[in-house]
């Protein structure tokens, strides 16, 4: 009953606080990285071996006939010893190094993003082969090399097996990978157990983004690293499998067939590795390998659902449109920080009709406050009567005490979508405004960090932008508040929200700060010098408190 007696400003502040705090706190809880428990150290040979498929939590139950009775032994394929040689293929976007030992990828350097995505000392796309006597690994096997400017082939001949691995680099981040097997091979496995490297400075936050993916039919199965502490597999017809970090993706697409089983595990450091098995292989099996950034439009062009690895949450349609619009603004202004500033101004214009109604309602509430105070004195011992008379007064003067909440409710999807874009889109990685703001995707940490031992905000960054954001929020609420008795709550709530924002991307901090400044300016114009204020002055502001109710 008391809630209905509160003023519009107090109600707006409380609901806004609850919405923002709930969403931001829950996002930190659910997006917090969960470290995998320590595991015994594994030798490179053991780590690379293909494992039997086990039932997975995120996929359908494995077919019984595809589950081996026991883990196959993995022995190295024996050939004549030789020296290691390195072959490099590159284009304008990427430089990839291969080793003739196993015909594996040992380095992928993304030129535009200045990132190495293969872990140091590890290799990707090794091959294990199942022969009648068991599984054998080719990872340490010297192979013959034949290379051109855009492709390289590795061949090994041993016993009753001939294996050729060919890689052709496209004009982007793709490799056409072909495996040719002649002999008695029953199956082979592609090795992605090395996973992707950690490329960001904030290791803890970066680990939260490691996931394993398997596209089965029309459904994309996604498993975070925390759920892969126990090895998981699936005997399903996966069209493609892959692992992602915060900004980069390794995906292996099976062409003209599907994988027969997949196997994924959380590595000791919290990253994700995988194997993918092809049974009864044809003489030549073709794959398309993507080793590159999670660029939405580039991945969407494959038409295979690769773009869904970009985590945009429940506001995905809004976030995709927002990302497109921010890219358009960036193409015009040439700076991501300026693009966010222009975006904040445009959003203020879009929401102006709503905020104008909110400001008008708040002004009317201020003028009506003396009558509300009279009612509180008159019916101080009759709460039910006070509530009835208060609501009747609102109806007489056509005031909706909850009208100030509508702009907040409408803006929340936009706010969350912008948060998802700034946190996950690779376009924001290293996107600078200037001065000390050199990365819109990370918090402003101009003044360092809070001590680690503090509850909730321990280790949070301290920057100028969130401080200015908090000051502008307090100024805005002080200007529009009609209940001066709750001054402490008016100040505490913006401070609390500011503390939550300390760990938000600086691009989001900048957006919210500018939006607050524009809101303060709008309130000044409307209430301290604009046309609405002058009209109300001519009518005498106290008229609502002294004149009889409208008929």
């Amino acid at each position: 009953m008391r809630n209905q007696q509160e003023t519009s400003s107090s109600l707006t502040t409380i609901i806004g606080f609850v919405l923002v705090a709930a969403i931001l706190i829950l996002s930190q809880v659910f997006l917090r990285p969960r470290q995998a428990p320590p595991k015994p150290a594994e030798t490179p040979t053991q780590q690379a071996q293909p494992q039997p498929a086990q039932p997975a939590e995120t996929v359908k139950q494995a077919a019984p006939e595809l589950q081996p009775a026991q883990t196959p032994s993995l022995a190295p394929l024996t050939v004549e010893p030789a020296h290691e040689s390195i072959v490099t293929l590159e284009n304008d976007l990427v430089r990839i190094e291969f080793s003739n030992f196993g015909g594996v990828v040992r380095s992928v350097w993304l030129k535009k993003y200045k990132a190495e995505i293969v872990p140091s000392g590890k290799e990707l796309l090794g091959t294990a082969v199942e022969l009648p006597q068991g599984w054998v690994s080719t990872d340490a096997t010297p192979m013959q090399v034949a290379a051109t400017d855009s492709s390289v082939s590795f061949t090994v001949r041993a016993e009753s097996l001939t294996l050729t691995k060919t890689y052709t680099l496209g004009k982007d981040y793709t490799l056409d990978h072909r495996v040719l097997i002649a002999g008695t091979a029953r199956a082979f496995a592609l090795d992605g157990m090395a996973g992707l490297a950690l490329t960001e400075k904030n290791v803890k936050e970066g680990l939260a983004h490691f996931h394993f993916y398997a596209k089965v039919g029309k459904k994309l199965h996604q498993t975070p690293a925390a759920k892969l502490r126990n090895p998981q597999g699936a005997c399903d017809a996966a069209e493609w499998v892959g692992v992602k970090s915060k900004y980069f993706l390794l995906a292996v697409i099976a062409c003209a067939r599907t994988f027969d089983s997949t196997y994924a595990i959380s590595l000791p450091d919290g990253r994700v590795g995988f194997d993918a098995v092809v049974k009864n292989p044809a003489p030549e099996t073709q794959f398309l390998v993507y080793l590159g950034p999670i660029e939405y439009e580039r991945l969407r062009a494959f038409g295979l659902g690769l773009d869904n690895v970009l985590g945009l949450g429940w506001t995905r349609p809004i976030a995709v449109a927002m990302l497109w619009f921010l890219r358009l603004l960036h193409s015009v202004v040439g700076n991501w920080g300026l693009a966010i500033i222009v975006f904040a101004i445009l959003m203020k214009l879009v929401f102006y009709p709503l905020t104008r109604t909110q400001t008008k309602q708040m002004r009317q509430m201020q003028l009506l406050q003396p009558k509300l105070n009279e009612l509180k004195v008159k019916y101080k011992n009759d709460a039910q009567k006070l509530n009835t008379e208060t609501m009747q007064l609102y109806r007489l003067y056509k005031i909706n005490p909850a009208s100030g909440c509508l702009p907040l409710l409408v803006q929340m999807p936009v706010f969350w979508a912008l948060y998802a874009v700034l946190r996950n889109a690779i376009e924001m990685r290293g996107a600078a405004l200037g001065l000390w703001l050199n990365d819109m995707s990370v918090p402003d940490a101009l003044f360092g960090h809070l001590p680690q031992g503090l509850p909730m905000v321990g280790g949070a960054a301290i920057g100028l932008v969130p401080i200015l954001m908090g000051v502008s929020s307090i100024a805005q609420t002080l200007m529009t508040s009609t209940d001066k008795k709750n001054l402490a709550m008016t100040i505490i709530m913006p401070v609390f929200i500011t503390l939550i924002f300390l760990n938000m991307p600086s691009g989001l901090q900048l957006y919210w700060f500018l939006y607050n400044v524009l809101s303060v300016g709008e309130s000044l114009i409307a209430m301290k010098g604009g046309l609405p204020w002058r009209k109300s002055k001519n009518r005498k502001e106290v008229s609502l408190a002294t004149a009889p109710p409208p008929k």
Side-chain angles (χ1 to χ4, degrees):
M1 194 171 294
R2 180 179 297 177
N3 289 339
Q4 294 179 339
Q5 300 170 17
E6 291 180 340
T7 62
S8 175
S9 176
S10 297
L11 188 59
T12 300
T13 303
I14 292 172
I15 292 180
F17 166 74
V18 171
L19 287 173
V20 175
I23 289 178
L24 297 182
I25 292 174
L26 287 175
S27 72
Q28 295 302 308
V29 171
F30 289 111
L31 295 177
R32 184 190 307 140
R34 294 171 172 83
Q35 300 278 356
K39 297 185 179 119
E42 300 180 65
T43 64
T45 302
Q46 291 172 329
Q47 185 178 6
Q49 78 177 41
Q51 301 289 341
Q54 304 294 334
E57 295 178 359
T58 57
V59 290
K60 296 182 287 187
Q61 179 67 31
E65 64 272 19
L66 292 181
Q67 296 183 12
Q70 58 184 4
T71 303
S73 59
L74 187 62
L77 186 66
T78 304
V79 295
E80 292 295 325
H83 296 290
E84 182 179 21
S85 62
I86 304 301
V87 179
T88 301
L89 300 179
E90 65 179 310
N91 55 28
D92 293 337
L93 299 175
V94 62
R95 183 179 72 245
I96 304 178
E97 293 182 358
F98 303 86
S99 170
N100 70 317
F101 280 14
V104 295
V105 175
R106 55 171 285 172
S107 173
V108 178
W109 175 256
L110 307 182
K111 299 179 180 179
K112 179 179 178 180
Y113 300 101
K114 295 180 174 57
E116 171 60 58
I117 62 174
V118 178
S120 177
K122 303 292 184 180
E123 299 87 21
L124 292 172
L125 302 182
T127 306
V129 182
E130 185 184 19
L131 299 176
Q133 64 269 30
W135 285 91
V136 295
S137 170
T138 65
D139 287 359
T141 302
M143 295 185 173
Q144 297 177 348
V145 182
T148 65
D149 290 341
S150 60
S151 66
V152 59
S153 294
F154 302 95
T155 303
V156 62
R157 296 177 178 84
E159 301 173 357
S160 59
L161 172 70
T162 299
L163 172 65
T164 300
K165 302 172 64 176
T166 301
Y167 301 92
T168 302
L169 179 62
K171 295 181 179 180
D172 49 9
Y173 299 99
T174 58
L175 281 172
D176 182 308
H177 179 35
R178 306 192 181 207
V179 178
L180 291 80
I181 295 182
T184 57
R186 297 175 178 177
F188 69 88
L190 292 181
D191 177 18
M193 277 296 168
L196 292 174
L198 278 164
T199 57
E200 309 309 305
K201 294 181 180 179
N202 190 336
V203 174
K204 181 180 179 181
E205 199 267 343
L207 288 174
H209 294 266
F210 276 84
H211 289 73
F212 169 73
Y213 292 88
K215 175 72 178 302
V216 181
K218 295 183 179 181
K219 186 173 182 180
L220 179 62
H221 299 284
Q222 172 183 338
T223 311
K227 292 186 178 180
L228 292 171
R229 292 174 180 175
N230 296 319
Q232 296 183 8
C235 294
D236 283 301
E239 298 175 23
W240 62 266
V241 297
V243 294
K244 71 171 282 274
S245 60
K246 182 174 183 178
Y247 293 119
F248 304 105
L249 172 69
L250 161 61
V252 184
I253 304 164
C255 304
R257 64 162 299 153
T258 59
F259 292 104
D260 292 290
S261 64
T262 61
Y263 171 86
I265 190 172
S266 177
L267 301 174
D269 59 2
R271 298 178 301 108
V272 178
F274 75 95
D275 278 335
V277 177
V278 173
K279 293 180 177 292
N280 303 315
E284 179 181 278
T285 307
Q286 181 181 5
F287 306 96
L288 184 64
V289 181
Y290 182 86
L291 282 160
I294 302 176
E295 296 177 0
Y296 178 80
E297 292 297 335
R298 186 184 298 276
L299 297 179
R300 186 170 179 267
F302 285 90
L304 298 171
L306 291 172
D307 52 297
N308 289 318
V309 305
L310 177 59
L312 296 176
W314 61 277
T315 58
R316 186 176 187 84
I318 301 175
V320 169
M322 188 176 295
L323 177 59
W324 175 86
F325 189 59
L326 284 171
R327 292 178 63 185
L328 177 64
L329 293 176
H330 177 261
S331 67
V332 175
V333 300
N335 180 287
W336 284 108
L338 292 178
I340 292 174
I341 292 174
V342 174
F343 181 77
I345 296 173
L346 294 176
M347 286 299 99
K348 187 61 183 176
L349 293 175
V350 169
F351 291 121
Y352 174 72
L354 291 176
T355 55
R356 180 184 179 185
T357 300
Q358 178 189 26
T359 303
K360 182 179 179 181
Q361 289 282 302
M362 287 183 175
R363 186 58 175 166
Q364 290 176 325
M365 286 292 296
Q366 287 177 333
L367 297 176
L368 192 60
Q369 197 64 35
K371 277 190 175 291
L372 293 174
N373 292 335
E374 290 176 9
L375 291 177
K376 291 177 182 179
V377 173
K378 184 176 181 179
Y379 300 107
K380 62 180 180 180
N381 297 323
D382 190 345
Q384 184 174 359
K385 184 66 174 178
L386 175 60
N387 178 66
T388 302
E389 291 296 324
T390 299
M391 298 310 296
Q392 180 66 19
L393 193 64
Y394 288 155
R395 284 193 291 269
L396 285 173
Y397 289 99
K398 298 180 181 180
I399 296 175
N400 182 0
S403 62
C405 306
L406 182 59
L408 282 174
L409 293 173
V410 174
Q411 290 177 64
M412 288 315 298
V414 175
F415 169 83
W416 182 254
L418 182 60
Y419 169 71
V421 168
L422 292 172
R423 187 174 187 265
N424 297 291
I426 194 169
E427 287 84 353
M428 301 301 150
R429 180 179 185 262
L433 170 63
L435 301 176
W436 73 96
L437 294 176
N438 52 18
D439 191 341
M440 295 285 101
S441 68
V442 300
D444 176 12
L446 179 62
F447 304 127
H449 294 78
L450 292 173
Q452 289 289 346
L454 294 177
M456 289 189 62
V457 294
I462 309 175
L464 180 60
V465 176
I467 291 175
L468 293 176
M469 186 198 76
V471 172
S472 63
S473 296
I474 294 173
Q476 182 185 5
T477 53
L478 287 176
M479 286 178 57
T480 58
S481 176
T482 60
D483 191 357
K484 303 303 180 183
K485 294 181 180 180
N486 291 327
L487 184 62
M489 181 171 289
T490 300
I491 296 176
I492 289 174
M493 287 187 177
V495 171
F496 188 82
I497 293 175
T498 301
L499 291 176
I500 296 175
F501 263 82
L502 291 178
N503 276 330
M504 297 295 104
S506 57
L508 190 64
Q509 297 169 348
L510 178 64
Y511 168 85
W512 202 261
F513 164 62
L514 289 171
Y515 201 92
N516 285 344
V517 171
L518 294 172
S519 297
V520 169
E522 180 185 355
S523 298
L524 286 172
I525 292 173
M527 302 176 66
K528 298 297 182 181
L531 183 60
W533 179 81
R534 289 198 299 271
K535 286 184 177 180
S536 65
K537 290 289 284 185
N538 294 333
R539 293 194 303 264
K540 296 182 180 180
E541 290 186 354
V542 295
S543 59
L544 287 180
T546 59
K551 296 182 180 180

